[in-house]
Each structure stands twice: as structure tokens, then as C-alpha cells.
Amino acid sequence: MMRLRREDPRVVGSFRLHRRLGAGGMGVVYLGSDRRGQRVALKVIRPDLAEDQEFRSRFAREVSAARRIRGGCTARLVAADLDAERPWFATQYVPGPSLHDKVAEEGPLTAAQIAAIGAALSEGLVAVHEAGVVHRDLKPSNILLSPKGPRIIDFGIAWATGASTLTHVGTAVGSPGFLAPEQVRGAVVTPATDVFALGATLAYAATADSPFGHGSSEVMLYRVVHEEPHLVGVPDALAPLVRACLAKDPEERPSTLQLSMRLKEIAAREAQGLGDGRPPAQRIRTERADGRAETYADQSTERRRTAGGAPTPRAQAQPPHSGPQARPSSPRNHGSTAGRTGGRPAPRTTGTGRRPSRPDPKLLRQRLIVFVVVTLLVALGIAVAQRL
């Protein structure tokens, strides 16, 4: 927090302002309080933008999105005045650092922490998407880590499901490195757009770096569209799921509901020290034997099969010369995929040529019990948070 500057207002609406929380392209965010002492985060549009109709419309979208979303993973809207000389709105104040600051100061999070945060964010995105809203700028700095769980903030460029991602021709809205390929191309945004951003955010939490490295906006956007993410350092338990979120094709990404369920299971297993220590490739093949990883571990290979049974290769364009900042792409690390004979899939085998053993029923029952308990606890926590 920073002290108020000389040019900052002291009172906005019925709220008294105390500190600056931050400033962005649209305006300044203040810490304020009402007559009852309730603390709020109050955003005010900058004076030079208050008369710009485009910015007023964008600000109105943020307020509209905040009003429509119901769920414990977003900051609750308290008040707003869109007709003021400098439009403003106030949301519930969320104490705690952003995910970006947390990782920058303390380093990468553990697999259990990442899975727990990801599960809560996935569940929050379910509520966001059910309201017909796509955030479009989900990233570590827009996630606050409160004592009651992570909160998604800043719906300034949120848009209705199915809308285009361009404000001006050739200009993508969002943050390079966390934008989905369809946003870079100016295509229609869908809930899968936020799934891509969530995957990049989880990768950042695990490595303290963007999965597409660093560089100019042009270089970063090129990598998002044409190169594979760099996931070295992402825990084995999370790597296949994160890679699936970062699929170039939106249809190949898991849904937020699938993400929530899978991440809850991973969080419970990691918290109990039951993390899978096998190499990623072996783990994917064994899990696919009982059908559990079919929807997130190796979707892109399965969906690109042709009628003849061979995977369709993805064309790779040559990157533009970007100096020392450019880096080679990382090949996608999928599990092996068996061919087909006579229209039927061939038996799946391990690297030794033998069929993988069936999973232990006792272990499956233990996982199911843990999953149910964690789901109930998360649901109870969200219900309590919504009442507060």
C-alpha cells in the first residue's frame, strides 16, 4: 500500500479513502471504508479517460460482470456510480498478496499448494462462465491469495461468451504470455480461453516464470501461437494437466469442471504424501488403462487421429528473428498412442511390451474417499465464505 498523493480524492461517494492499493491502465485502486468501517477496494477511472466513451464502456463491462457473478472466488461488488464525473466502483477488500507477488518473493509453490489454488480457481471460473462472462485476462497478478482462499479480480476486459477479442484491428487485449492463441488471432473467446490462461498461471506458480519465456510482446505472442510451452520444473503430478490446458486448439482443453475435480484429487493426494513418483510417460499410460486420463492427459493426439489411424502432424511455422530473447520450442511430451487395426484400437502395452497391470482396487477406494471428503470440505468453505 502507498500513501495518498496530493491529487488523490479523499472521499468518493459514501467511502473515505485511506491508501493507494495500485494503479493500472484504467485508473487507480484505493483502500476505502464506509461509515460502518467496512473496507473496500475502490477503483476510479483516470481523469484523462473519464471522457473517453470507449473506456467508460469498458469500465461499465467490468461493473456488469461483477454484478452477474455469484461465487466465493471473486470479490463481491459493494457499490458503483457509472454516471459520476469520474466513474468508480467498490468491491469487497481482499487482504493478501497477489499470486505473482507471492511467487516472486518466496519462490515456486509446492504441488499441493498449486493444486489447491488451481482447484479453487477452477471452481470460481465455473461460476464466472455460468454468468456468461469470460475473464480474458486471468494471470498471477489478478489472483489474490486471501486467508479464505484465492480470489479473482480485475474484470476490466471481461466480455460476454462468444465475443471477439479485439478492440482495434490487429490489437489483442490481455497480457502476453497468458493470452490464448485464439485471442492473439482475434477469434471468438470462450470459457476455454480462461482455461489456457489458468494453465499458464499454474505453470508460473510452479516455476516462477511464464511457460513462454520472456521477450517483446511480438515474440511472446508468436510463441503462444506457434511454440509449445516450456514446462520444465512443473511437478510430475501436474504437468500433464497443465499441458492439456495449454493446448493450441480450444476444443482440446479440459473444462473448468474437469479441472476442478482433477485438481482436488491431486491436492488431496499430495497433501497426504501420496504423490506419484513414476516418470510422466509411464504414469500417463497406466492411468489411461483405466480411462481416467483420457480427457486431459493426451487429448490432442487422440483427437488428431485420422481415419487411417495415424496422428495428423501439426505444422510448425518458422519463428521470426527475435535476437537473443527467442528460444526454441519444447516438444509436446505425450504418452505413446497405439495404432488401430481393422477399426479397433490395438491393446495398450508398456515399454516392455506387456499390458499394464490393473490398478489396485483398494487404492482406488482410498482415492475416492479422499476426493469425496475434500469436495465436501471445499463446498462447505465456499458456502461459509458466501455468507460472510
Side-chain angles (χ1 to χ4, degrees), residues 144-211:
L144 299 181
L145 303 178
S146 78
K148 297 179 180 179
R151 297 290 184 268
I152 302 172
I153 63 170
D154 199 351
F155 285 79
I157 63 172
W159 197 248
T161 302
S164 171
T165 62
L166 299 184
T167 52
H168 302 289
V169 176
T171 304
V173 175
S175 304
F178 297 92
L179 285 172
E182 60 268 24
Q183 288 177 283
V184 179
R185 294 189 179 101
V188 172
V189 297
T190 67
T193 302
D194 286 342
V195 170
F196 185 96
L198 179 58
T201 297
L202 297 181
Y204 172 84
T207 64
D209 198 4
S210 164

Short mmCIF file of all heavy atoms in Angstrom, two decimals, residues 144-211:
data_model
loop_
_atom_site.label_atom_id
_atom_site.label_comp_id
_atom_site.label_asym_id
_atom_site.label_seq_id
_atom_site.Cartn_x
_atom_site.Cartn_y
_atom_site.Cartn_z
N LEU A 144 -5.66 -12.88 -6.03
CA LEU A 144 -5.25 -12.52 -4.69
C LEU A 144 -5.39 -13.73 -3.77
O LEU A 144 -6.40 -14.45 -3.83
CB LEU A 144 -6.11 -11.36 -4.16
CG LEU A 144 -6.04 -10.05 -4.96
CD1 LEU A 144 -6.92 -9.00 -4.31
CD2 LEU A 144 -4.61 -9.56 -5.07
N LEU A 145 -4.39 -13.94 -2.93
CA LEU A 145 -4.38 -15.08 -2.02
C LEU A 145 -4.85 -14.62 -0.65
O LEU A 145 -4.05 -14.18 0.20
CB LEU A 145 -2.98 -15.68 -1.96
CG LEU A 145 -2.39 -16.13 -3.30
CD1 LEU A 145 -0.98 -16.67 -3.11
CD2 LEU A 145 -3.28 -17.18 -3.96
N SER A 146 -6.16 -14.70 -0.42
CA SER A 146 -6.72 -14.27 0.86
C SER A 146 -6.70 -15.42 1.85
O SER A 146 -6.54 -16.59 1.47
CB SER A 146 -8.16 -13.79 0.65
OG SER A 146 -9.04 -14.90 0.53
N PRO A 147 -6.88 -15.14 3.15
CA PRO A 147 -6.94 -16.22 4.15
C PRO A 147 -8.08 -17.20 3.88
O PRO A 147 -8.02 -18.35 4.34
CB PRO A 147 -7.15 -15.46 5.47
CG PRO A 147 -6.59 -14.09 5.22
CD PRO A 147 -6.90 -13.81 3.79
N LYS A 148 -9.10 -16.77 3.15
CA LYS A 148 -10.24 -17.64 2.86
C LYS A 148 -10.13 -18.32 1.50
O LYS A 148 -11.06 -18.99 1.07
CB LYS A 148 -11.54 -16.82 2.91
CG LYS A 148 -11.83 -16.24 4.28
CD LYS A 148 -13.11 -15.43 4.26
CE LYS A 148 -13.40 -14.85 5.63
NZ LYS A 148 -14.63 -14.03 5.64
N GLY A 149 -8.99 -18.17 0.86
CA GLY A 149 -8.80 -18.80 -0.44
C GLY A 149 -8.52 -17.78 -1.52
O GLY A 149 -8.65 -16.57 -1.31
N PRO A 150 -8.12 -18.23 -2.71
CA PRO A 150 -7.79 -17.30 -3.80
C PRO A 150 -9.03 -16.58 -4.32
O PRO A 150 -10.13 -17.13 -4.31
CB PRO A 150 -7.19 -18.22 -4.87
CG PRO A 150 -7.79 -19.56 -4.60
CD PRO A 150 -7.95 -19.64 -3.11
N ARG A 151 -8.82 -15.35 -4.77
CA ARG A 151 -9.90 -14.54 -5.32
C ARG A 151 -9.47 -13.98 -6.67
O ARG A 151 -8.35 -13.49 -6.82
CB ARG A 151 -10.26 -13.38 -4.38
CG ARG A 151 -10.81 -13.81 -3.03
CD ARG A 151 -12.19 -14.41 -3.16
NE ARG A 151 -12.78 -14.74 -1.87
CZ ARG A 151 -12.67 -15.92 -1.28
NH1 ARG A 151 -11.96 -16.88 -1.87
NH2 ARG A 151 -13.25 -16.15 -0.12
N ILE A 152 -10.37 -14.04 -7.65
CA ILE A 152 -10.12 -13.50 -8.99
C ILE A 152 -10.59 -12.06 -9.01
O ILE A 152 -11.73 -11.76 -8.63
CB ILE A 152 -10.85 -14.31 -10.06
CG1 ILE A 152 -10.42 -15.79 -10.01
CG2 ILE A 152 -10.57 -13.74 -11.45
CD1 ILE A 152 -11.25 -16.70 -10.90
N ILE A 153 -9.74 -11.15 -9.49
CA ILE A 153 -10.09 -9.74 -9.55
C ILE A 153 -9.88 -9.21 -10.96
O ILE A 153 -9.40 -9.92 -11.85
CB ILE A 153 -9.26 -8.90 -8.55
CG1 ILE A 153 -7.77 -8.98 -8.91
CG2 ILE A 153 -9.50 -9.38 -7.13
CD1 ILE A 153 -6.91 -7.99 -8.13
N ASP A 154 -10.23 -7.94 -11.14
CA ASP A 154 -9.97 -7.18 -12.37
C ASP A 154 -10.65 -7.80 -13.58
O ASP A 154 -10.02 -8.47 -14.41
CB ASP A 154 -8.48 -7.04 -12.63
CG ASP A 154 -8.19 -5.88 -13.59
OD1 ASP A 154 -9.16 -5.34 -14.15
OD2 ASP A 154 -7.02 -5.53 -13.77
N PHE A 155 -11.95 -7.53 -13.71
CA PHE A 155 -12.71 -7.96 -14.88
C PHE A 155 -12.81 -6.82 -15.89
O PHE A 155 -13.79 -6.70 -16.62
CB PHE A 155 -14.11 -8.40 -14.46
CG PHE A 155 -14.14 -9.75 -13.79
CD1 PHE A 155 -13.77 -9.89 -12.48
CD2 PHE A 155 -14.52 -10.88 -14.49
CE1 PHE A 155 -13.78 -11.12 -11.85
CE2 PHE A 155 -14.53 -12.13 -13.89
CZ PHE A 155 -14.16 -12.24 -12.56
N GLY A 156 -11.76 -5.98 -15.94
CA GLY A 156 -11.80 -4.79 -16.80
C GLY A 156 -11.95 -5.09 -18.27
O GLY A 156 -12.48 -4.27 -19.01
N ILE A 157 -11.46 -6.25 -18.76
CA ILE A 157 -11.62 -6.57 -20.17
C ILE A 157 -12.49 -7.80 -20.35
O ILE A 157 -12.48 -8.43 -21.40
CB ILE A 157 -10.26 -6.76 -20.87
CG1 ILE A 157 -9.50 -7.95 -20.28
CG2 ILE A 157 -9.42 -5.51 -20.79
CD1 ILE A 157 -8.25 -8.30 -21.07
N ALA A 158 -13.23 -8.14 -19.28
CA ALA A 158 -14.16 -9.28 -19.39
C ALA A 158 -15.19 -8.99 -20.46
O ALA A 158 -15.55 -7.85 -20.73
CB ALA A 158 -14.84 -9.51 -18.04
N TRP A 159 -15.67 -10.06 -21.09
CA TRP A 159 -16.60 -9.90 -22.21
C TRP A 159 -17.54 -11.08 -22.24
O TRP A 159 -17.25 -12.14 -21.72
CB TRP A 159 -15.81 -9.79 -23.51
CG TRP A 159 -16.58 -9.23 -24.67
CD1 TRP A 159 -16.97 -9.87 -25.79
CD2 TRP A 159 -17.03 -7.88 -24.81
NE1 TRP A 159 -17.65 -9.02 -26.62
CE2 TRP A 159 -17.70 -7.78 -26.05
CE3 TRP A 159 -16.95 -6.74 -24.00
CZ2 TRP A 159 -18.28 -6.60 -26.50
CZ3 TRP A 159 -17.52 -5.57 -24.47
CH2 TRP A 159 -18.17 -5.51 -25.69
N ALA A 160 -18.65 -10.87 -22.85
CA ALA A 160 -19.63 -11.95 -22.95
C ALA A 160 -19.06 -13.11 -23.76
O ALA A 160 -18.27 -12.92 -24.68
CB ALA A 160 -20.92 -11.44 -23.61
N THR A 161 -19.48 -14.32 -23.40
CA THR A 161 -19.03 -15.51 -24.11
C THR A 161 -19.35 -15.40 -25.60
O THR A 161 -20.46 -15.04 -25.98
CB THR A 161 -19.72 -16.76 -23.54
OG1 THR A 161 -19.42 -16.84 -22.16
CG2 THR A 161 -19.26 -18.01 -24.25
N GLY A 162 -18.37 -15.67 -26.45
CA GLY A 162 -18.57 -15.64 -27.89
C GLY A 162 -18.17 -14.34 -28.53
O GLY A 162 -18.23 -14.20 -29.75
N ALA A 163 -17.74 -13.34 -27.75
CA ALA A 163 -17.35 -12.05 -28.32
C ALA A 163 -15.94 -12.12 -28.89
O ALA A 163 -15.15 -12.98 -28.55
CB ALA A 163 -17.43 -10.95 -27.27
N SER A 164 -15.62 -11.17 -29.75
CA SER A 164 -14.27 -11.10 -30.32
C SER A 164 -13.31 -10.57 -29.27
O SER A 164 -13.70 -9.95 -28.30
CB SER A 164 -14.26 -10.18 -31.54
OG SER A 164 -12.94 -9.94 -31.98
N THR A 165 -12.02 -10.77 -29.50
CA THR A 165 -11.01 -10.33 -28.53
C THR A 165 -10.32 -9.05 -28.95
O THR A 165 -9.34 -8.64 -28.33
CB THR A 165 -9.94 -11.41 -28.36
OG1 THR A 165 -9.29 -11.61 -29.61
CG2 THR A 165 -10.54 -12.71 -27.89
N LEU A 166 -10.75 -8.40 -30.01
CA LEU A 166 -10.05 -7.21 -30.49
C LEU A 166 -10.82 -5.93 -30.17
O LEU A 166 -12.03 -5.85 -30.37
CB LEU A 166 -9.84 -7.29 -32.01
CG LEU A 166 -8.99 -8.47 -32.50
CD1 LEU A 166 -8.80 -8.34 -34.00
CD2 LEU A 166 -7.66 -8.51 -31.81
N THR A 167 -10.12 -4.91 -29.66
CA THR A 167 -10.73 -3.59 -29.51
C THR A 167 -10.42 -2.74 -30.74
O THR A 167 -11.20 -1.91 -31.14
CB THR A 167 -10.19 -2.89 -28.26
OG1 THR A 167 -8.77 -2.90 -28.30
CG2 THR A 167 -10.65 -3.61 -27.01
N HIS A 168 -9.27 -2.93 -31.30
CA HIS A 168 -8.89 -2.30 -32.56
C HIS A 168 -8.32 -3.38 -33.46
O HIS A 168 -7.80 -4.38 -32.98
CB HIS A 168 -7.83 -1.21 -32.34
CG HIS A 168 -8.26 -0.13 -31.39
ND1 HIS A 168 -9.21 0.80 -31.71
CD2 HIS A 168 -7.88 0.12 -30.11
CE1 HIS A 168 -9.39 1.61 -30.68
NE2 HIS A 168 -8.60 1.21 -29.70
N VAL A 169 -8.41 -3.17 -34.76
CA VAL A 169 -7.93 -4.17 -35.69
C VAL A 169 -6.45 -4.45 -35.44
O VAL A 169 -5.63 -3.53 -35.37
CB VAL A 169 -8.15 -3.71 -37.15
CG1 VAL A 169 -7.56 -4.72 -38.11
CG2 VAL A 169 -9.63 -3.51 -37.41
N GLY A 170 -6.11 -5.74 -35.26
CA GLY A 170 -4.73 -6.13 -35.07
C GLY A 170 -4.20 -5.96 -33.67
O GLY A 170 -3.02 -6.12 -33.43
N THR A 171 -5.05 -5.61 -32.71
CA THR A 171 -4.61 -5.39 -31.34
C THR A 171 -5.27 -6.39 -30.42
O THR A 171 -6.48 -6.38 -30.24
CB THR A 171 -4.97 -3.96 -30.87
OG1 THR A 171 -4.40 -3.03 -31.78
CG2 THR A 171 -4.43 -3.71 -29.47
N ALA A 172 -4.49 -7.26 -29.81
CA ALA A 172 -5.02 -8.24 -28.88
C ALA A 172 -5.10 -7.62 -27.49
O ALA A 172 -4.20 -6.90 -27.07
CB ALA A 172 -4.13 -9.48 -28.86
N VAL A 173 -6.20 -7.90 -26.78
CA VAL A 173 -6.39 -7.38 -25.44
C VAL A 173 -6.00 -8.45 -24.44
O VAL A 173 -6.47 -9.57 -24.50
CB VAL A 173 -7.87 -6.97 -25.23
CG1 VAL A 173 -8.09 -6.54 -23.79
CG2 VAL A 173 -8.23 -5.85 -26.18
N GLY A 174 -5.14 -8.09 -23.48
CA GLY A 174 -4.73 -9.04 -22.47
C GLY A 174 -3.24 -8.93 -22.21
O GLY A 174 -2.60 -7.94 -22.58
N SER A 175 -2.67 -9.94 -21.55
CA SER A 175 -1.26 -9.92 -21.16
C SER A 175 -0.49 -10.97 -21.93
O SER A 175 -0.80 -12.16 -21.82
CB SER A 175 -1.15 -10.18 -19.65
OG SER A 175 -1.91 -9.22 -18.93
N PRO A 176 0.52 -10.59 -22.73
CA PRO A 176 1.31 -11.57 -23.49
C PRO A 176 1.89 -12.63 -22.54
O PRO A 176 2.34 -12.32 -21.45
CB PRO A 176 2.43 -10.72 -24.10
CG PRO A 176 1.84 -9.34 -24.19
CD PRO A 176 0.97 -9.20 -22.99
N GLY A 177 1.87 -13.87 -23.00
CA GLY A 177 2.33 -14.97 -22.16
C GLY A 177 1.20 -15.67 -21.45
O GLY A 177 1.34 -16.82 -21.04
N PHE A 178 0.06 -15.00 -21.30
CA PHE A 178 -1.12 -15.60 -20.68
C PHE A 178 -2.34 -15.54 -21.60
O PHE A 178 -3.39 -16.06 -21.28
CB PHE A 178 -1.43 -14.90 -19.35
CG PHE A 178 -0.33 -15.06 -18.34
CD1 PHE A 178 0.68 -14.12 -18.23
CD2 PHE A 178 -0.27 -16.17 -17.52
CE1 PHE A 178 1.71 -14.27 -17.32
CE2 PHE A 178 0.75 -16.34 -16.60
CZ PHE A 178 1.75 -15.38 -16.50
N LEU A 179 -2.18 -14.88 -22.74
CA LEU A 179 -3.24 -14.86 -23.75
C LEU A 179 -3.33 -16.22 -24.44
O LEU A 179 -2.32 -16.87 -24.68
CB LEU A 179 -2.94 -13.81 -24.82
CG LEU A 179 -3.16 -12.33 -24.46
CD1 LEU A 179 -2.62 -11.46 -25.58
CD2 LEU A 179 -4.63 -12.05 -24.24
N ALA A 180 -4.54 -16.63 -24.78
CA ALA A 180 -4.72 -17.86 -25.54
C ALA A 180 -4.48 -17.58 -27.02
O ALA A 180 -4.61 -16.44 -27.48
CB ALA A 180 -6.14 -18.40 -25.32
N PRO A 181 -4.12 -18.61 -27.79
CA PRO A 181 -3.87 -18.40 -29.23
C PRO A 181 -5.05 -17.75 -29.95
O PRO A 181 -4.84 -16.91 -30.85
CB PRO A 181 -3.61 -19.82 -29.75
CG PRO A 181 -3.07 -20.56 -28.58
CD PRO A 181 -3.79 -20.00 -27.39
N GLU A 182 -6.28 -18.12 -29.59
CA GLU A 182 -7.44 -17.53 -30.26
C GLU A 182 -7.56 -16.04 -29.99
O GLU A 182 -8.09 -15.29 -30.81
CB GLU A 182 -8.73 -18.25 -29.87
CG GLU A 182 -9.07 -18.24 -28.39
CD GLU A 182 -8.53 -19.44 -27.66
OE1 GLU A 182 -7.53 -20.04 -28.14
OE2 GLU A 182 -9.08 -19.78 -26.59
N GLN A 183 -7.07 -15.58 -28.82
CA GLN A 183 -7.08 -14.14 -28.55
C GLN A 183 -6.07 -13.42 -29.43
O GLN A 183 -6.33 -12.32 -29.92
CB GLN A 183 -6.75 -13.89 -27.07
CG GLN A 183 -7.85 -14.27 -26.11
CD GLN A 183 -7.43 -14.06 -24.67
OE1 GLN A 183 -6.69 -14.85 -24.12
NE2 GLN A 183 -7.90 -12.99 -24.05
N VAL A 184 -4.91 -14.02 -29.62
CA VAL A 184 -3.89 -13.41 -30.47
C VAL A 184 -4.39 -13.30 -31.90
O VAL A 184 -4.14 -12.30 -32.58
CB VAL A 184 -2.59 -14.25 -30.42
CG1 VAL A 184 -1.53 -13.63 -31.32
CG2 VAL A 184 -2.08 -14.36 -28.98
N ARG A 185 -5.12 -14.31 -32.36
CA ARG A 185 -5.62 -14.30 -33.74
C ARG A 185 -6.86 -13.44 -33.90
O ARG A 185 -7.31 -13.19 -35.01
CB ARG A 185 -5.97 -15.74 -34.16
CG ARG A 185 -4.77 -16.68 -34.25
CD ARG A 185 -5.18 -17.98 -34.88
NE ARG A 185 -4.08 -18.92 -35.01
CZ ARG A 185 -3.86 -19.94 -34.21
NH1 ARG A 185 -4.71 -20.16 -33.19
NH2 ARG A 185 -2.84 -20.74 -34.38
N GLY A 186 -7.45 -12.97 -32.79
CA GLY A 186 -8.67 -12.18 -32.88
C GLY A 186 -9.90 -13.02 -33.10
O GLY A 186 -10.91 -12.52 -33.61
N ALA A 187 -9.87 -14.29 -32.70
CA ALA A 187 -11.01 -15.18 -32.87
C ALA A 187 -11.97 -15.04 -31.69
O ALA A 187 -11.75 -14.25 -30.76
CB ALA A 187 -10.53 -16.62 -33.01
N VAL A 188 -13.02 -15.82 -31.72
CA VAL A 188 -14.05 -15.77 -30.68
C VAL A 188 -13.50 -16.33 -29.37
O VAL A 188 -12.79 -17.34 -29.35
CB VAL A 188 -15.29 -16.58 -31.12
CG1 VAL A 188 -16.29 -16.71 -29.98
CG2 VAL A 188 -15.95 -15.91 -32.31
N VAL A 189 -13.82 -15.66 -28.26
CA VAL A 189 -13.40 -16.15 -26.95
C VAL A 189 -14.48 -17.04 -26.37
O VAL A 189 -15.67 -16.83 -26.61
CB VAL A 189 -13.10 -14.99 -25.98
CG1 VAL A 189 -11.96 -14.14 -26.48
CG2 VAL A 189 -14.34 -14.14 -25.74
N THR A 190 -14.06 -18.04 -25.62
CA THR A 190 -14.96 -18.99 -24.97
C THR A 190 -14.40 -19.28 -23.58
O THR A 190 -13.30 -18.83 -23.25
CB THR A 190 -15.06 -20.30 -25.77
OG1 THR A 190 -13.77 -20.96 -25.73
CG2 THR A 190 -15.46 -20.04 -27.23
N PRO A 191 -15.11 -20.04 -22.75
CA PRO A 191 -14.54 -20.44 -21.46
C PRO A 191 -13.18 -21.11 -21.59
O PRO A 191 -12.35 -21.00 -20.68
CB PRO A 191 -15.60 -21.39 -20.89
CG PRO A 191 -16.90 -20.86 -21.44
CD PRO A 191 -16.55 -20.41 -22.84
N ALA A 192 -12.93 -21.79 -22.71
CA ALA A 192 -11.63 -22.44 -22.91
C ALA A 192 -10.49 -21.42 -22.95
O ALA A 192 -9.34 -21.76 -22.68
CB ALA A 192 -11.64 -23.26 -24.20
N THR A 193 -10.80 -20.17 -23.28
CA THR A 193 -9.79 -19.11 -23.28
C THR A 193 -9.24 -18.90 -21.88
O THR A 193 -8.03 -18.75 -21.67
CB THR A 193 -10.40 -17.81 -23.81
OG1 THR A 193 -10.91 -18.03 -25.14
CG2 THR A 193 -9.38 -16.69 -23.85
N ASP A 194 -10.14 -18.90 -20.88
CA ASP A 194 -9.70 -18.76 -19.49
C ASP A 194 -8.95 -20.00 -19.00
O ASP A 194 -8.08 -19.91 -18.14
CB ASP A 194 -10.90 -18.49 -18.58
CG ASP A 194 -11.45 -17.07 -18.73
OD1 ASP A 194 -10.72 -16.21 -19.26
OD2 ASP A 194 -12.60 -16.84 -18.33
N VAL A 195 -9.30 -21.17 -19.55
CA VAL A 195 -8.60 -22.40 -19.17
C VAL A 195 -7.13 -22.31 -19.58
O VAL A 195 -6.23 -22.71 -18.84
CB VAL A 195 -9.27 -23.63 -19.79
CG1 VAL A 195 -8.42 -24.88 -19.61
CG2 VAL A 195 -10.66 -23.84 -19.18
N PHE A 196 -6.87 -21.78 -20.78
CA PHE A 196 -5.48 -21.60 -21.23
C PHE A 196 -4.74 -20.69 -20.27
O PHE A 196 -3.61 -20.99 -19.85
CB PHE A 196 -5.47 -21.02 -22.64
CG PHE A 196 -4.09 -20.91 -23.25
CD1 PHE A 196 -3.63 -21.91 -24.09
CD2 PHE A 196 -3.28 -19.82 -22.99
CE1 PHE A 196 -2.36 -21.82 -24.66
CE2 PHE A 196 -2.01 -19.72 -23.54
CZ PHE A 196 -1.55 -20.73 -24.38
N ALA A 197 -5.35 -19.56 -19.92
CA ALA A 197 -4.70 -18.62 -19.01
C ALA A 197 -4.46 -19.25 -17.64
O ALA A 197 -3.43 -19.00 -17.00
CB ALA A 197 -5.56 -17.36 -18.88
N LEU A 198 -5.41 -20.07 -17.19
CA LEU A 198 -5.22 -20.75 -15.90
C LEU A 198 -4.05 -21.72 -15.97
O LEU A 198 -3.25 -21.82 -15.04
CB LEU A 198 -6.50 -21.49 -15.50
CG LEU A 198 -6.43 -22.27 -14.19
CD1 LEU A 198 -6.07 -21.35 -13.03
CD2 LEU A 198 -7.76 -22.97 -13.91
N GLY A 199 -3.92 -22.44 -17.09
CA GLY A 199 -2.78 -23.34 -17.25
C GLY A 199 -1.46 -22.58 -17.20
O GLY A 199 -0.50 -23.02 -16.55
N ALA A 200 -1.38 -21.44 -17.87
CA ALA A 200 -0.16 -20.63 -17.84
C ALA A 200 0.11 -20.09 -16.44
O ALA A 200 1.26 -20.00 -16.00
CB ALA A 200 -0.28 -19.47 -18.84
N THR A 201 -0.97 -19.77 -15.73
CA THR A 201 -0.84 -19.26 -14.36
C THR A 201 -0.32 -20.34 -13.41
O THR A 201 0.54 -20.08 -12.56
CB THR A 201 -2.19 -18.73 -13.86
OG1 THR A 201 -2.60 -17.62 -14.68
CG2 THR A 201 -2.11 -18.27 -12.42
N LEU A 202 -0.83 -21.56 -13.55
CA LEU A 202 -0.35 -22.67 -12.72
C LEU A 202 1.11 -22.99 -13.03
O LEU A 202 1.89 -23.32 -12.13
CB LEU A 202 -1.23 -23.90 -12.92
CG LEU A 202 -2.70 -23.76 -12.51
CD1 LEU A 202 -3.44 -25.08 -12.76
CD2 LEU A 202 -2.82 -23.34 -11.05
N ALA A 203 1.48 -22.89 -14.31
CA ALA A 203 2.88 -23.11 -14.68
C ALA A 203 3.77 -22.05 -14.03
O ALA A 203 4.88 -22.35 -13.56
CB ALA A 203 3.04 -23.09 -16.20
N TYR A 204 3.32 -20.81 -13.99
CA TYR A 204 4.08 -19.74 -13.33
C TYR A 204 4.23 -20.04 -11.84
O TYR A 204 5.32 -19.87 -11.27
CB TYR A 204 3.39 -18.39 -13.51
CG TYR A 204 4.02 -17.29 -12.69
CD1 TYR A 204 5.13 -16.60 -13.15
CD2 TYR A 204 3.51 -16.98 -11.42
CE1 TYR A 204 5.73 -15.62 -12.37
CE2 TYR A 204 4.10 -16.00 -10.64
CZ TYR A 204 5.20 -15.32 -11.11
OH TYR A 204 5.81 -14.35 -10.34
N ALA A 205 3.15 -20.50 -11.20
CA ALA A 205 3.22 -20.80 -9.78
C ALA A 205 4.23 -21.91 -9.48
O ALA A 205 4.83 -21.94 -8.41
CB ALA A 205 1.84 -21.21 -9.27
N ALA A 206 4.44 -22.80 -10.45
CA ALA A 206 5.34 -23.93 -10.26
C ALA A 206 6.79 -23.61 -10.60
O ALA A 206 7.71 -24.27 -10.11
CB ALA A 206 4.88 -25.12 -11.10
N THR A 207 7.00 -22.61 -11.45
CA THR A 207 8.36 -22.34 -11.95
C THR A 207 8.83 -20.91 -11.72
O THR A 207 9.99 -20.60 -11.98
CB THR A 207 8.44 -22.62 -13.46
OG1 THR A 207 7.56 -21.71 -14.16
CG2 THR A 207 8.02 -24.06 -13.77
N ALA A 208 7.92 -20.02 -11.28
CA ALA A 208 8.24 -18.60 -11.14
C ALA A 208 8.59 -17.96 -12.48
O ALA A 208 9.32 -16.98 -12.54
CB ALA A 208 9.37 -18.38 -10.13
N ASP A 209 8.04 -18.51 -13.55
CA ASP A 209 8.32 -17.98 -14.88
C ASP A 209 7.16 -18.31 -15.80
O ASP A 209 6.40 -19.26 -15.57
CB ASP A 209 9.60 -18.60 -15.44
CG ASP A 209 10.18 -17.81 -16.60
OD1 ASP A 209 9.62 -16.74 -16.92
OD2 ASP A 209 11.18 -18.25 -17.19
N SER A 210 7.02 -17.51 -16.84
CA SER A 210 5.99 -17.79 -17.84
C SER A 210 6.38 -19.02 -18.64
O SER A 210 7.55 -19.22 -18.94
CB SER A 210 5.84 -16.59 -18.79
OG SER A 210 5.13 -16.96 -19.96
N PRO A 211 5.41 -19.87 -19.01
CA PRO A 211 5.75 -21.05 -19.82
C PRO A 211 6.20 -20.69 -21.23
O PRO A 211 6.62 -21.56 -21.97
CB PRO A 211 4.45 -21.84 -19.82
CG PRO A 211 3.38 -20.84 -19.60
CD PRO A 211 3.98 -19.82 -18.68
#
